[in-house]
Amino acid sequence: MDLTLSTCFVLVHDPDLALAFYRDGLGLELRNDVARGDFRWITVGAGSQPGVGIVLTNYLNGSPADNDTLEALIAKGALNGVHFQTGDLDGAFEKVRASGAEIVQEPTSQAWGTRDFAVRDPSGNLVRIDQRPTA
C-alpha cells in the first residue's frame, strides 16, 4: 500500500484567531474557507507542499457530552497540533515570537538529534517546529 498524507484536522475554538496564527504567524497559505452555520473549515498549507492541507475547524462531531469534553480539552491546551520542519529554525522562531504566540519552549537541542521549539496556537494546541540536524 502506498499512502501519502493529504489532510489533517486541528480543532480550534475561534477560526479567525486560528487563521491569523497559522497564516500570519507561521506563514502558511490560505487555501479554502468554508462556513456552514456556526462552523468553519479553513484549509491552510505550506507552499512547498501543495498536496498537504491542514483544516482548522470548530466543528466537533459527537454527542453533547463528547462536545463538552473536547471543548474542555481544547480550552486547557491538552491537544497536540502539528509538527513542522524548517531549514531556518532561529528565523522561524523569531517570526513566531513576533506574532505574539505563546512560547512553550525556546529553540533547544534535543537528545534525539534535532533542534526544535514549541508554541501554542490560540486554542492551546501544541505546535512544534524543528530543524533536521546537518550531517
Side-chain angles (χ1 to χ4, degrees), residues 112-125:
W112 53 89
T114 193
R115 192 164 167 259
D116 69 356
F117 69 88
V119 298
R120 291 208 185 277
D121 75 8
S123 292
N125 296 298

Side-chain angles (χ1 to χ4, degrees), residues 46-64:
S48 62
Q49 292 181 299
V52 179
I54 300 167
V55 178
L56 311 170
T57 185
N58 61 337
Y59 177 72
L60 301 172
N61 185 15
S63 70

